[in-house]
Structures are given as structure tokens and as C-alpha cells.
Amino acid sequence: MAGRQQDVQTLVQRLARRYQRSNSGLAEDLRGLLRSAPHLDAPMREHGNAAPVPLDGDSRQSLIRTDHLGPVTPPVLTRPVRAQLEQLRDEHRLQDRLREAGLTPSRAGLFVGPPGVGKTLAARWLANELKVPLLVLDLATVMSSYLGRTGSNIRKVLDYAKASPSVLLLDELDTVAKRRDDEAEVGELKRLVTVLLQEIDDWPASSLLLAATNHGDLLDPAVWRRFDVIINFPLPGPAELEEALMQYCGDENTEVIDFLVQVLAGYSFADAERFVMTAKRKAVLSGERLFDTLLASAQEHFRTMDHADRLQIALDLMQDSELSQRRVSELTGVSRDTLRRRQRDR
Ligand SMILES: Nc1ncnc2c1ncn2[C@@H]1O[C@H](COP(=O)(O)OP(=O)(O)OP(=O)(O)O)[C@@H](O)[C@H]1O
Ligand SMILES: [Mg+2]
């Protein structure tokens, strides 16, 4: 249990044998678990990848993480981003049609955007839509090996990814770069990306390489050029924030959502989600309704904003939501007189 996968598997096998007679249904379920679980000799048997998981030559640590996919809640996306992602998906789903026209699907996509806007989530969603595993390259392990080893590590990962259809994700390129203030290591990282992208030229169209970064400028132009698709993930606007908040709250209370959309303007999805989750926990602990906790948290946050912002939010609420002047005044603490006056001046 403490990370000793093989021991657990042996134990499950033993239990399956023990319950064979007395509870054959349970025994069969246990065997099913063993069949579907990743295994040292056949790490992804359910996807038919017979190659062993690539390991670093020195540390024997795995160079990739495999996302065993369950259902993924589709990310909330602006229309252009959604269109780009769907095309990427369709190019791979319908590659026969492309081939008839003498074309191949895009092989490499770069996701650029600030933290917490859905880059990793989108990669998981894509893999799930294509019904292939998501392989995440563990950059830290790849880089921790001594310099000369990086190239062979990458080849191992690529061979593994090529062996069966998959989405290979190079996640958070820049975190690795930033964590290391060593110039040589950053250079090594750039080299790593270049090697990877050169290698994918002869990739099977059945696999897709994705990379995610907060800072596109970390990559040099030669690298940029190799990506067939570049998708910019923006911070959510009011419409996206509203949709995501509905998803997180599971609450139809539009009054709170309208207020939250204003208060959390400029937040990332991840920040907004954290805000809601904290309120949810608080609601459970205090026995309050989520609606009340959310409202209280929103108001608390609102009070930390400066006067001009608060006034602006109150006026926007008057204009964009169904809330009455009285309710807006209650929520924001801006007097009805002020609201009336400002509205006249607008
Ligand atoms: N577009 C979105 N729609 C709904 N939820 C989202 C969206 N983007 C992010 N989230 C929420 O925020 C969490 C973190 O998002 P994710 O890991 O995809 O961000 P990221 O863009 O990869 O950030 P980073 O650059 O820090 O890696 C997600 O698990 C999800 O709960
Ligand atoms: Mg990410």
C-alpha cells in the first residue's frame, strides 16, 4: 500500500484465489482489477501497449506518468479555443478522410496561457475524446539524469508513446525551467524540446504530442515552427466564469453567481474553483446553506476592494443582472441614493 504496487497485486491475486469457491463473483471482480491495473510487465495492458514503461537508466524512476482516464468534465472554453480543440480531435478521429486528400492530421500542439485556465484539463479531455491514454512526460525525472542521458531518455519515451496510440503531454515546461536557476539546465531543457520535436517528424499519425507552457517566449522560434497548432488559452471572461461557477457550485442561484462573476473578474478558473471549494467546505462544517456561505465569502472579498471598484461592480450589476436596485444596494453596501445618482450620470 505504501507505494509497493507489486505487493498489493500479489495480495489481490491471493485473495482472488481464496474467494474462488465461496464468492466467485468477488474473485472475478478482483481478477478484473488486476487485468485493468497498470503492471510492471504490461503497464497499459488494457490499451494494448506491450512495451515496458520507460525508466531512467540511473534512478530507475518512471519517465512518464499515465493518466488512467475516467470521465472528464469538459473544460469551459471560449468559442475560438473550443473550435481549435475540436478540429484537433476531428483531425485524429477522421484521419482516413484527410489521407484520401493527401493530408495528415496535426502532430503537435502547443497550449499557451496563464496558470489555471485549463491547459492540462484540455489535454486530458482530448485524450479522453480520442479514447487513448494520456502520457505525461515527467520532465523533472528526465532532467535529473546526468546531462548525456537526456537524449536517450527522450527516445525511450517516444518509442513508448509510438508503440500504441496515445496523447503525449509535455506539461509545465516553464515550471521546470524556473525552478532551476542554472543556465545550463535551462539550455538543456531547450535542447530537450528541440530533440523531441525533431523526433516527432516520423511519428505515427495515431499519436499526438501536446506541450503546455505559461510563457511561450521561453521557446525559441525553431521550436515554435514545429508545432502545427498553437492554442492560446485566455483568462475567463464573464460568460466563461459564469458557466464555470455554475459547474462548480451545482447551484442554480443566479443572484450569487451574478455577484461572484463580478467579484471574481480577472481570476483564473482554478482560482474561482478554489474560492467555491473553500465555501463548500465551510458550509458543510457550519451547517449553513452553500448559498449563504458563498454570499458571505463574496461579500467579505468585496469589502477588501477599493471604493471605485466596488462602485463599478454595483453599477455593472444594475446593468447586467436582473437584480433590483434594492438588492444590489444590500449586496454591495452602496446606498440606493448613490446608485440612482450614478445611473443618471451615466
Ligand atoms: N476551462 C476550464 N473550465 C473549467 N474548469 C477549469 C478550466 N480551467 C481550469 N479549470 C479548473 O482548474 C483546475 C486547474 O486547471 P489546469 O490544471 O487545467 O490549469 P493549467 O492551465 O494547466 O494551469 P498551469 O499552467 O498552472 O498548469 C482544473 O482541474 C479545473 O478544475
Ligand atoms: Mg497545467
Side-chain angles (χ1 to χ4, degrees):
M1 292 282 225
R4 297 175 59 139
Q5 200 178 10
Q6 265 189 320
D7 291 357
V8 176
Q9 287 176 345
T10 310
L11 183 67
V12 174
Q13 239 156 16
R14 211 177 288 156
L15 288 171
R17 266 200 305 274
R18 180 189 302 169
Y19 288 110
Q20 182 58 40
R21 285 249 175 97
S22 59
N23 191 342
S24 63
L26 175 62
E28 192 36 54
D29 284 351
L30 290 172
R31 285 209 192 83
L33 267 179
L34 283 174
R35 273 197 298 276
S36 67
H39 188 274
L40 264 190
D41 306 323
M44 285 194 305
R45 260 194 280 192
E46 79 269 40
H47 298 294
N49 194 338
V53 175
L55 302 176
D56 177 57
D58 303 316
S59 63
R60 309 302 296 167
Q61 280 184 325
S62 175
L63 297 169
I64 54 160
R65 281 180 285 125
T66 308
D67 239 20
H68 288 274
L69 295 163
V72 177
T73 318
V76 177
L77 302 164
T78 55
R79 207 180 284 252
V81 175
R82 177 179 304 281
Q84 279 178 295
L85 283 171
E86 286 177 350
Q87 171 161 350
L88 204 50
R89 174 195 65 192
D90 294 342
E91 285 180 15
H92 280 261
R93 272 190 185 165
L94 307 170
Q95 33 186 294
D96 291 347
R97 208 182 292 177
L98 288 180
R99 216 165 289 122
E100 277 165 26
L103 298 170
T104 51
S106 305
R107 291 201 179 105
L110 179 65
F111 293 174
V112 187
V117 293
K119 299 182 298 298
T120 307
L121 192 61
R124 289 179 48 210
W125 176 80
L126 253 181
N128 200 45
E129 287 283 291
L130 295 172
K131 300 193 169 46
V132 297
L134 178 70
L135 308 176
V136 185
L137 179 71
D138 196 329
L139 277 168
T141 318
V142 169
M143 304 270 304
S144 75
S145 60
Y146 71 91
L147 254 80
R149 186 79 77 178
T150 306
S152 79
N153 273 349
I154 290 171
R155 244 168 309 261
K156 280 191 227 167
V157 169
L158 288 173
D159 286 343
Y160 183 73
K162 279 188 215 167
S164 77
S166 58
V167 172
L168 176 61
L169 173 64
L170 253 72
D171 207 6
E172 303 182 15
L173 282 179
D174 35 305
T175 17
V176 179
K178 259 186 272 161
R179 216 166 42 212
R180 297 153 189 269
D181 25 52
D182 185 351
E183 277 293 313
E185 297 248 30
V186 175
E188 176 80 348
L189 177 79
K190 284 188 176 174
R191 216 157 27 243
L192 179 153
V193 176
T194 313
V195 170
L196 250 175
L197 291 172
Q198 280 165 355
E199 292 261 331
I200 63 157
D201 282 350
D202 63 328
W203 249 26
S206 55
S207 293
L208 173 65
L209 178 93
L210 298 175
T213 179
N214 294 149
H215 300 285
D217 45 354
L218 193 88
L219 309 171
D220 48 53
V223 169
W224 275 95
R225 230 183 18 245
R226 293 205 171 252
F227 286 100
D228 307 306
V229 190
I230 292 168
I231 305 185
N232 283 297
F233 285 71
L235 282 173
E240 289 78 46
L241 209 49
E242 181 176 344
E243 194 181 335
L245 284 167
M246 303 267 239
Q247 216 180 69
Y248 304 151
C249 299
D251 192 308
E252 295 298 302
N253 198 309
T254 51
E255 185 179 298
V256 178
I257 304 266
D258 284 344
F259 190 42
L260 275 179
V261 166
Q262 298 289 341
V263 170
L264 301 181
Y267 272 46
S268 70
F269 289 107
D271 289 339
E273 188 182 30
R274 186 173 325 119
F275 188 92
V276 171
M277 293 316 287
T278 305
K280 276 191 177 175
R281 293 191 193 100
K282 198 167 166 184
V284 168
L285 292 180
S286 66
E288 280 174 340
R289 289 188 311 161
L290 177 60
F291 164 79
D292 295 326
T293 319
L294 270 173
L295 192 56
S297 310
Q299 281 177 319
E300 199 174 306
H301 184 69
F302 183 77
R303 278 194 291 274
T304 66
M305 296 173 147
D306 64 38
H307 181 70
D309 287 346
R310 290 198 308 239
L311 191 57
Q312 188 60 48
I313 286 178
L315 291 170
D316 286 347
L317 272 174
M318 289 290 303
Q319 203 161 41
D320 304 338
S321 74
E322 311 267 281
L323 299 178
S324 66
Q325 193 184 61
R326 172 200 298 268
R327 190 62 185 137
V328 170
S329 171
E330 280 169 10
L331 285 172
T332 61
V334 178
S335 77
R336 294 182 70 184
D337 264 356
T338 310
L339 283 175
R340 221 173 283 138
R341 211 171 334 111
R342 286 310 188 101
Q343 258 193 322
R344 252 201 329 262
D345 298 348
R346 259 193 174 183

